[in-house]
Amino acid sequence: INHSMTVSPAETEWIRVGRDFSDPILYIDGQLRAGSRRDVSAVAISDPTAYFAQQFQDVLLHAGITVNEVLLAGPLDEVEEVLFAESSQGQAIATLPSLSMTEWLQWANQDSHNLAAESLLRQLGASSATTDLTENPTESTLSTAIHQLGLSLDRLGITPDSYRVADGSGLSRRNLVTPMAFVEVLQAMAVHPWADDYRESLAIAATTGTLTYRFRDTVVAGKLYGKSGGLTGVASLSGYLYPPHYSPLAFSIILNHSTQPGRVNRQAIDDIVLQLAQLQECL
């Protein structure tokens, strides 16, 4: 459904692309100047499971493998129950080697890759799903994963009332967390056996990942290991800061319900971090 218009070169240019949440319909709105370059947008697939099944079937058919039927029926938890029950009787026809855990962490944290973060959470659920589904067949991989995540955070000493998890990517508005919860995680991981791997998975100010272009030509460049985040009205940055004249800090800054543009929110956070970097030991 296209409501966009072509306007003269003197008028402002903007474009917005959205999708229906149930039907395969794209909604396009905005205005593009006559003769301007093409505008490339991306939207999420409304039914990724069905899309994958269709794409997989097409690939097999192209390779000369006849597929009589692709069946995706019932809630995800019912499908998982059947898969785990029959896993010992099945035969693998293809395998795809996974990245190492450190590579997965870097992909999720340095590049803030939503799919990597979601996959890590689901894997946490899948690793214990066989037992859990046997004991409670109504449990899905996601609910099992969130439960296992809670157990892991309990072992790290994280206050249970300080967070609520709905997904792995953080895109759900039902995710709730306090800055103190992030600080507690960072402090716990600083003395964890995987401390180095965890810190190296974070983006480095003015150097790597989502922080490549932030804090350039400042005292913080190369001295901050962090994870950024953002949604409409939300901006955050958490991590480890190494001030030149102060002990290392674990910090978390979250802006919520902001009406300012994202760049303004990010600059406000950066200004706070630059102030933290000026800390000095008392004489």
Side-chain angles (χ1 to χ4, degrees):
I1 299 178
N2 186 5
H3 294 297
S4 64
M5 299 184 298
T6 302
V7 296
S8 69
E11 295 192 53
T12 58
E13 186 176 55
W14 61 276
I15 195 74
R16 180 171 58 242
V17 180
R19 68 168 175 86
D20 190 275
F21 284 98
S22 57
D23 298 318
I25 300 175
L26 293 179
Y27 297 96
I28 306 174
D29 194 14
Q31 53 190 44
L32 292 174
R33 299 188 185 110
S36 65
R37 296 181 179 180
R38 66 177 182 173
D39 186 274
V40 180
S41 300
V43 296
I45 297 169
S46 58
D47 190 345
T49 304
Y51 177 80
F52 168 78
Q54 182 60 54
Q55 293 296 309
F56 187 49
Q57 183 179 19
D58 292 343
V59 170
L60 292 176
L61 289 174
H62 183 73
I65 301 174
T66 302
V67 178
N68 295 324
E69 183 181 18
V70 175
L71 180 62
L72 294 171
L76 180 60
D77 52 1
E78 294 180 9
V79 175
E80 289 172 337
E81 182 182 359
V82 173
L83 290 177
F84 282 113
E86 298 180 352
S87 60
S88 60
Q89 304 172 9
Q91 180 179 358
I93 60 173
T95 59
L96 181 65
S98 172
L99 298 173
S100 67
M101 179 56 68
T102 55
E103 291 172 320
W104 272 106
L105 288 175
Q106 289 177 359
W107 195 17
N109 288 338
Q110 281 192 14
D111 300 322
S112 196
H113 199 284
N114 294 326
L115 178 59
E118 195 71 57
S119 298
L120 283 170
L121 178 64
R122 303 285 177 142
Q123 181 61 34
L124 185 61
S127 63
S128 60
T130 303
T131 301
D132 292 343
L133 286 174
T134 301
E135 298 174 353
N136 188 356
T138 63
E139 287 290 314
S140 67
T141 299
L142 178 58
S143 60
T144 302
I146 293 175
H147 175 69
Q148 292 296 324
L149 177 62
L151 296 178
S152 297
L153 292 176
D154 285 345
R155 287 192 292 270
L156 291 178
I158 311 306
T159 306
D161 294 339
S162 63
Y163 66 89
R164 182 183 303 167
V165 178
D167 65 9
S169 64
L171 293 178
S172 173
R173 295 285 181 175
R174 292 180 296 156
N175 289 303
L176 299 173
V177 63
T178 65
M180 181 56 70
F182 280 132
V183 170
E184 289 177 345
V185 170
L186 290 163
Q187 291 176 329
M189 290 306 300
V191 295
H192 194 274
W194 281 20
D196 292 340
D197 293 310
Y198 182 76
R199 186 190 62 182
E200 294 301 323
S201 76
L202 302 171
I204 303 175
T207 306
T208 61
T210 58
L211 300 182
T212 300
Y213 300 103
R214 292 175 68 171
F215 301 104
R216 286 192 166 185
D217 301 319
T218 71
V219 69
V220 175
K223 301 295 184 180
L224 185 155
Y225 294 74
K227 172 71 177 68
S228 61
L231 293 169
T232 302
V234 180
S236 66
L237 180 63
S238 305
Y240 301 108
L241 176 64
Y242 295 84
H245 305 295
Y246 200 77
S247 302
L249 299 173
F251 73 94
S252 180
I253 305 170
I254 301 176
L255 301 182
N256 204 14
H257 298 296
S258 174
T259 59
Q260 297 296 319
R263 58 179 176 79
V264 175
N265 294 332
R266 289 189 294 272
Q267 186 59 56
I269 290 176
D270 292 358
D271 289 342
I272 296 173
V273 171
L274 290 173
Q275 287 294 317
L276 289 174
Q278 302 304 315
L279 285 170
Q280 297 188 25
E281 299 286 354
C282 296
L283 300 177

